[in-house]
Structures are given as C-alpha cells and as structure tokens.
Amino acid sequence: RNVNHDRKCITADIAFEGSNKFVVGYWEGFELMNIEIMEKSNGPQIIDGISSVAQFYGVNNCDIVFDADGVGAFISGSEGGFIPGAVAFHGGGSAMEVYNTVTGKQEKENYFNLRSQCYYRSGDRFNKGGARISAYVGSKMYDDKMTVRQRFLWERRAIKRDKVDSDGKLKIIPKEQMKIILSGESPDL
C-alpha cells in the first residue's frame, strides 16, 4: 500500500466558461492531496490556476499533465500564457509501452488507446491500495450538492468496459456514453 509521496505532480482537466468544470489536482506520489475546482474559467484563469497551484506546491512544469484533447490544446500553443514544458495528455493516442518483467522488454499493452489504458491501470492501482484521495480532498465541496468524495463515487458508475474491439484490445465506453449515464454531465474528476 505504498503511495510513494516523493514526486509532486499536477493534473488538469481543462474547461472554459459554459462547459464542464475546470479541475486542477495536486498529487504527492499517488495520493491526491488537493484539488481546485472552478465553475467557469477563461484562458488566462486556466493558465493562472494551474501556475498558482504549481508555484504554491513547488511543482515543476514538466510534472504538470493536462488534458490536451478538445479545449485544453491551447495550453501548449503559442498564444502567450502557455505553460512551457507541461505534458499534453492525448487520451485518443496509442497506449504507452511498459516494461514487461517476464520478457525484460518495453512492450505496448493491449489497450484500444491511452485513455483506456489509464482508466484500467489507475483503477487497478486504486483497487490494490496503491493510490488514494486524501480526507481533505474528499471532504471539499465539488459543487453546492456534493463533496468531492460523493462526486467521485457518482462519476465512477459511468466508467464501464466497452466491448473488446476486433483486435482484442481492451477499452472503456466513450465519454459521450458516460455523459448519458451521468444525466448529461461530464466526468470531470
């Protein structure tokens, strides 16, 4: 049950005004230590939000990962105010290669895309006690109805395996199907 607090990281789910929530998570190893949630945000607020959390906790830009699919793509753009060195996450991209302890080689895992790989692997890590959400984060309010813990549990019901594709690759249901399960809301956490 080692969550290894050595490495400090930030994850960001980008959303502009009128869309989903903008969420910035601060991690120490595999424990979510703080979370900032903004109802409405514009480009400068997003950059400032991520940068201020990084500065407060001493997180290097290379340890910031943001959802670059959709509206998040502007962070790595050159329109002034991007975060140099931050890592773009492209969920639709190829699954990452991982070290296979049996063969001793880097090998691509059998996932449909990076998004599926991350959902499966993070779910497995949480189930084995290798990751957690701090009590402080769990007790924070997500909105005026739910705590972050309640919201995580509510969103979790929309994370489902999809049919294995013709190549036998594991995948999860698309975000649009998740939104249907969540009454039109996006799984922001």
Side-chain angles (χ1 to χ4, degrees):
R1 297 190 184 252
N2 178 11
V3 294
N4 187 358
H5 286 88
D6 294 342
R7 187 170 182 190
K8 296 177 178 185
C9 301
I10 289 176
T11 55
D13 185 16
I14 311 302
F16 286 114
E17 291 182 34
S19 61
N20 314 321
K21 293 191 186 289
F22 165 48
V23 179
V24 179
Y26 166 66
W27 297 80
E28 289 181 4
F30 290 102
E31 183 168 4
L32 182 59
M33 302 300 288
N34 199 359
I35 193 167
E36 297 297 329
I37 302 165
M38 291 179 67
E39 189 71 38
K40 298 192 182 297
S41 49
N42 59 34
Q45 288 173 321
I46 289 169
I47 298 301
D48 290 346
I50 296 170
S51 297
S52 65
V53 172
Q55 185 176 15
F56 183 81
Y57 289 106
V59 176
N60 296 319
N61 286 2
C62 63
D63 291 322
I64 298 171
V65 64
F66 63 93
D67 182 3
D69 296 333
V71 298
F74 88 97
I75 287 180
S76 59
S78 57
E79 290 299 313
F82 69 111
I83 301 173
V87 179
F89 177 85
H90 295 282
S94 298
M96 296 185 316
E97 289 187 350
V98 296
Y99 181 75
N100 183 323
T101 56
V102 175
T103 65
K105 297 179 182 177
Q106 289 287 112
E107 297 177 358
K108 195 164 273 201
E109 290 186 309
N110 194 35
Y111 294 102
F112 177 70
N113 58 19
L114 182 58
R115 179 174 171 263
S116 295
Q117 182 182 30
C118 288
Y119 267 108
Y120 273 90
R121 288 181 137 258
S122 64
D124 187 49
R125 179 175 288 278
F126 271 96
N127 288 337
K128 291 179 178 174
R132 64 178 166 234
I133 299 163
S134 72
Y136 170 73
V137 170
S139 66
K140 286 183 91 169
M141 293 304 293
Y142 173 80
D143 58 17
D144 60 352
K145 298 178 200 127
M146 296 186 214
T147 64
V148 169
R149 182 183 192 287
Q150 290 167 326
R151 180 66 186 205
F152 265 114
L153 293 171
W154 187 74
E155 287 185 12
R156 185 176 71 177
R157 67 192 181 106
I159 302 169
K160 299 187 179 296
R161 294 174 189 219
D162 204 351
K163 293 177 275 179
V164 174
D165 75 0
S166 59
D167 294 333
K169 296 189 184 290
L170 300 172
K171 61 182 180 175
I172 59 167
I173 63 172
K175 188 174 184 178
E176 292 311 313
Q177 281 184 273
M178 289 181 182
K179 285 181 175 181
I180 292 168
I181 294 168
L182 298 176
S183 306
E185 292 189 39
S186 178
D188 294 325
L189 297 180

